[in-house]
């Protein structure tokens, strides 16, 4: 096993610098390095350390003082992306056989800067994997060009007038058998591809989604095509392509999001990505897919991996925010029992079937992760008071960079409908055909006991009874069953009253299907966490702290559904709700002394975290003062002062006249 600390020239987990946080670390009930090793494993820790070390020691990745212009930021981001390829962290086979390694690289780059991580991700995975998974052997010629950056790619699905409703996309691809070419065309501005990452300045090629038409005018639905956007040598647009940048955004401004319109752009027939459907030279459409829904699913299959990645991005953002806020809270002292004694802020309490299943999990996982991160980052920002509002401490950037996770790769509320539709479909098949409710990953298998679970109730009589995550786990199973029943009944009522299928499902969303999808994904997370921390190979020193974390997350999540638990009869009497709340407070108190050590497990090196108030040494004010001096250049006079001074007489005269 790789060495963890001292005694090696290259430890996987070097000791943290001593400082004001040392006392807080000493109170921890577990060894933080052992938890990091258990959670990630030595190979993954080594991989991440290699990435962080490369970024730390390369001048190209040094954080510039002050802010950069938009153009300079994007230029620097592209050069950094190129350098990441030169480091060769990933092999081509890793993309297919080692997805955890791929996600680890994206997350490490994101900890440094999400503009860089997203640019790399969109080119390598979204563009590259779309070609690999949606195309065939004739398209594999593009793969080496992607990895040596001979071409640079993007994924052009969203249009100005349509995002989540992909079936209504209006870009067209008409086949011309006389030249064996496809004609890509944007009928008007509303059909322009929009919000496409990498398209604004740097993409040379795109996977463009368009409605495929064969001779005679028959439309075969949305298909992906490889379309050259720019000349790789000059970056000038190709004939017939209007392409540009959409401008400054609220966050991730190192990423060039762009638009494109196509005026009868001709591409070879072979550049149709033909996994789900192809065109013969004569113009006949051929496909192995018999069901239109299956074709649609295959065409957009790469979106599931993107949604999983976005969930991971949201988790990383929350990790960074918690690392900054918690280290700040452990060293920031305010008020106390006497005027002479101030206590740390941390002491205050207010701080196919498998494919369908994966699709359902990813569709709800992205909303849950992105919304939880957005809420958590905001709480971290507020927990740091005024210092959290200071841009140099990075919490504002984390909040802004996380914000698009709530909307791209599918609007969160629309995605939740796909998860609730999956669950309702299971119940329909059970009632109509007597089919068992089960799935490859076993996330829905508990629903086989659906009627019996609805008869259960909350049995904990004290907070101590809730300190194991099995209690909220049982409550969640009941909650999902209850919401599934309510959604099913509401859907049937809507249909019986004359609503069509679309209207019926739409009218069920707000109070039934939406909470159903979220509760199902929360249950899945709670179950996985519970099973992971209760497995027999958990090292004894880690069992207690992991058990508390599992129970705390489960109870905190469950507590947001208190009204539903009472309405459905699972909770009765005021004591049930109070029991859960008191258990949450008890777990927070038990975990308080472990908080800093837990952050040490998830926090990246200081140069990557890049927050003066979140540095590992805990020298809060020294680090903050140093950063302020570096940015403010206190000895320099404001550049506009000389002009202001020269106009003082004019200003004085004007004032006297007023």
């Amino acid at each position: 096993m790789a060495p963890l600390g001292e005694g090696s020239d290259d430890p996987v987990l070097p000791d943290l610098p001593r400082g004001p946080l040392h006392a807080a670390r000493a109170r921890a009930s577990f060894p933080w390095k052992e938890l990091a090793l258990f959670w990630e494993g030595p190979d993954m820790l080594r991989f991440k350390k290699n990435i962080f070390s490369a970024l730390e020691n390369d001048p190209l990745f040094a954080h510039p003082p002050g802010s950069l212009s938009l153009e300079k930021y994007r230029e620097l981001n592209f050069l950094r992306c190129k350098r990441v390829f030169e480091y060769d962290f990933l092999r081509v086979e890793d993309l297919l056989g080692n997805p955890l390694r791929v996600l680890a690289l994206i997350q490490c780059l994101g900890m440094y800067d999400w503009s860089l991580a997203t640019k790399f991700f969109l080119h390598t995975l979204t563009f590259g994997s779309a070609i690999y998974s949606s195309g065939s052997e004739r398209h594999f010629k593009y793969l080496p060009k992607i990895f040596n950056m001979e071409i640079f790619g993007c994924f052009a699905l969203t249009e100005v007038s349509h995002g989540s409703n992909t079936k209504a996309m209006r870009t067209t691809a008409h086949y011309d058998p006389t030249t064996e070419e496809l004609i890509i065309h944007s009928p008007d501005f509303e059909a322009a591809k929009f919000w496409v990452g990498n398209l604004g300045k740097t993409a040379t090629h795109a996977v463009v989604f368009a409605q495929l038409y064969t001779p005679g005018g028959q439309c075969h639905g949305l298909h992906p095509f490889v379309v050259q956007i720019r000349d790789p040598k000059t970056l000038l647009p190709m004939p017939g392509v209007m392409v540009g940048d959409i401008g400054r955004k609220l966050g991730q401004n190192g990423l060039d999001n762009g638009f494109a319109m196509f005026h009868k752009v001709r591409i070879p027939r072979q550049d149709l990505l033909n996994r789900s459907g192809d065109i013969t030279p004569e113009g006949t459409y051929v496909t192995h897919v018999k069901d239109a829904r299956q074709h649609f699913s295959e065409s957009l299959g790469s979106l599931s991996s993107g949604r999983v990645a976005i969930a991971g991005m949201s988790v990383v953002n929350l990790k960074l925010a918690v690392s900054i806020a918690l280290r700040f809270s452990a060293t920031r002292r305010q008020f106390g029992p006497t005027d002479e004694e101030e206590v740390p802020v941390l002491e205050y309490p207010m701080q196919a079937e498998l494919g369908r299943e994966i699709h359902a999990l990813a569709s709800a996982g992205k909303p849950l992760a992105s919304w939880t991160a957005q809420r958590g980052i905001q709480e971290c920002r507020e927990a740091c008071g005024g210092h959290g509002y200071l841009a140099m401490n990075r919490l504002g950037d984390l909040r802004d960079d996380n914000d698009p996770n709530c909307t791209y790769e599918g609007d969160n509320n629309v995605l939740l409908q796909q998860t609730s539709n999956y669950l309702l479909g299971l119940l329909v098949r059970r009632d109509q055909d007597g089919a068992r409710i089960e799935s490859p990953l076993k996330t829905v298998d508990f629903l086989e006991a659906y009627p019996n679970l609805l008869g259960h109730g909350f049995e904990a009589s004290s907070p101590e009874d809730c300190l194991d995550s099995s209690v909220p786990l049982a409550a969640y199973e009941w909650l999902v069953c209850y919401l599934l029943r309510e959604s099913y009944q509401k859907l049937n009522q809507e249909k019986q009253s004359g609503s069509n299928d679309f209207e019926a499902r739409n009218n069920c969303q707000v109070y039934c299907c939406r909470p159903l999808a979220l509760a199902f994904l929360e249950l899945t997370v709670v179950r996985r966490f519970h099973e992971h921390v209760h497995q027999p190979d958990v090292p004894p020193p880690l069992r207690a702290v992991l058990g508390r974390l599992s129970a705390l997350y489960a109870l905190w999540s469950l507590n947001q559904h208190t009204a539903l638990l009472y309405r459905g009869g699972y909770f009765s009497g005021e004591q049930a709700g109070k029991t859960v709340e008191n258990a949450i407070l008890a777990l927070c108190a038990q975990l308080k002394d472990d908080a800093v050590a837990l952050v040490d497990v998830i926090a990246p090196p200081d140069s990557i975290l890049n927050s003066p108030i979140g540095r590992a040494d805990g020298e809060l004010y020294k680090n903050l003062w140093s950063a302020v001096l570096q940015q403010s250049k206190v000895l320099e006079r404001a550049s506009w002062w000389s002009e202001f001074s020269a106009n003082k007489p004019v200003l004085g005269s004007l004032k006297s006249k007023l």
Side-chain angles (χ1 to χ4, degrees), residues 96-109:
L96 307 174
N98 202 337
L100 292 180
R101 199 173 178 89
V102 176
L103 285 175
L105 174 58
I106 300 298
Q107 291 172 4
C108 287
L109 296 177

Side-chain angles (χ1 to χ4, degrees), residues 134-153:
S134 299
S136 59
E137 191 171 347
R138 76 190 190 202
H139 303 105
F140 293 172
K141 64 183 180 181
Y142 288 110
L143 298 180
K145 295 179 180 180
I146 291 171
F147 276 83
N148 62 25
M149 287 187 69
E150 185 179 336
I151 63 175
F152 203 75

Side-chain angles (χ1 to χ4, degrees), residues 30-331:
F30 69 98
W32 75 270
K33 290 184 181 182
E34 189 169 348
L35 178 54
L37 182 65
F38 169 73
W39 207 252
E40 304 233 45
D43 291 341
M44 188 60 74
L45 287 175
R46 173 70 64 188
F47 179 61
K48 289 185 173 183
K49 183 177 185 296
N50 289 341
I51 297 169
F52 289 143
S53 296
L55 302 186
E56 285 181 281
N57 296 317
D58 189 332
L60 186 63
F61 294 91
H63 295 287
S67 58
L68 298 170
S69 68
L70 192 65
E71 193 67 23
K72 185 64 179 176
Y73 188 10
R74 291 180 176 176
E75 175 191 353
L76 190 58
N77 199 42
F78 181 78
L79 294 176
R80 287 169 173 168
C81 186
K82 184 174 183 293
R83 183 66 56 84
V84 171
F85 277 97
E86 293 169 358
Y87 280 122
D88 199 24
F89 293 122
L90 287 178
R91 298 165 297 180
V92 177
E93 52 266 32
D94 286 331
L95 291 176
L96 307 174
N98 202 337
L100 292 180
R101 199 173 178 89
V102 176
L103 285 175
L105 174 58
I106 300 298
Q107 291 172 4
C108 287
L109 296 177
M111 285 183 169
Y112 169 78
D113 184 350
W114 277 118
S115 289
L116 171 62
T118 308
K119 191 169 195 67
F120 179 87
F121 174 81
L122 290 172
H123 170 62
T124 310
L125 294 179
T126 311
F127 175 67
S129 68
I131 290 177
Y132 180 84
S133 61
S134 299
S136 59
E137 191 171 347
R138 76 190 190 202
H139 303 105
F140 293 172
K141 64 183 180 181
Y142 288 110
L143 298 180
K145 295 179 180 180
I146 291 171
F147 276 83
N148 62 25
M149 287 187 69
E150 185 179 336
I151 63 175
F152 203 75
C154 62
F155 187 83
L157 173 66
T158 299
E159 297 177 356
V160 169
S161 61
H162 290 95
S164 300
N165 185 9
T166 51
K167 293 181 181 179
M169 298 293 179
R170 299 176 59 242
T171 303
T172 60
H174 285 83
Y175 182 64
D176 181 356
T178 62
T179 61
E180 294 190 25
E181 291 176 315
L182 289 149
I183 304 169
I184 309 297
H185 185 66
S186 309
D188 51 47
F189 175 69
E190 289 186 10
K193 296 299 179 181
F194 204 76
W195 271 114
V196 182
N198 288 345
L199 184 59
K201 298 285 186 181
T202 51
T204 63
H205 290 69
V207 170
V208 176
F209 282 81
Q211 304 289 351
L212 174 60
Y213 288 84
T214 48
Q218 183 179 1
C219 180
H220 299 277
L222 203 65
H223 284 67
F225 307 82
V226 179
V227 181
Q228 186 170 349
I229 304 296
R230 295 180 174 93
D231 184 328
K233 295 182 179 178
T234 65
L235 283 188
L236 293 175
M238 298 299 291
V241 178
M242 177 188 290
V243 61
D245 193 279
I246 63 174
R248 185 176 289 276
K249 310 178 292 291
L250 295 181
Q252 294 192 33
N253 279 301
L255 179 67
D256 50 312
N257 292 80
F259 69 89
M261 292 186 70
F262 305 96
H263 181 68
K264 300 179 179 178
V265 175
R266 289 179 173 265
I267 64 172
R269 176 182 65 86
Q270 291 81 0
D271 280 344
L272 162 63
L273 294 174
N274 61 336
R275 178 184 175 186
S276 60
D278 205 352
I279 295 180
T280 66
E282 299 75 24
T284 301
Y285 182 74
V286 292
T287 179
H288 68 278
V289 179
K290 304 303 180 184
D291 182 83
R293 289 178 299 177
Q294 184 182 349
H295 160 74
F296 187 67
S297 177
E298 285 198 10
S299 296
L300 297 176
S302 57
L303 288 179
S304 285
S305 61
R307 289 163 184 164
V308 171
I310 291 171
M313 292 167 64
S314 301
V315 171
V316 168
N317 285 332
L318 189 53
K319 282 183 178 180
L320 295 174
V322 168
S323 297
I324 294 167
L326 217 146
R327 284 175 174 171
F328 172 86
S329 299
T331 50

Side-chain angles (χ1 to χ4, degrees), residues 3 220 419 598:
H220 299 277
T419 304
L598 287 168

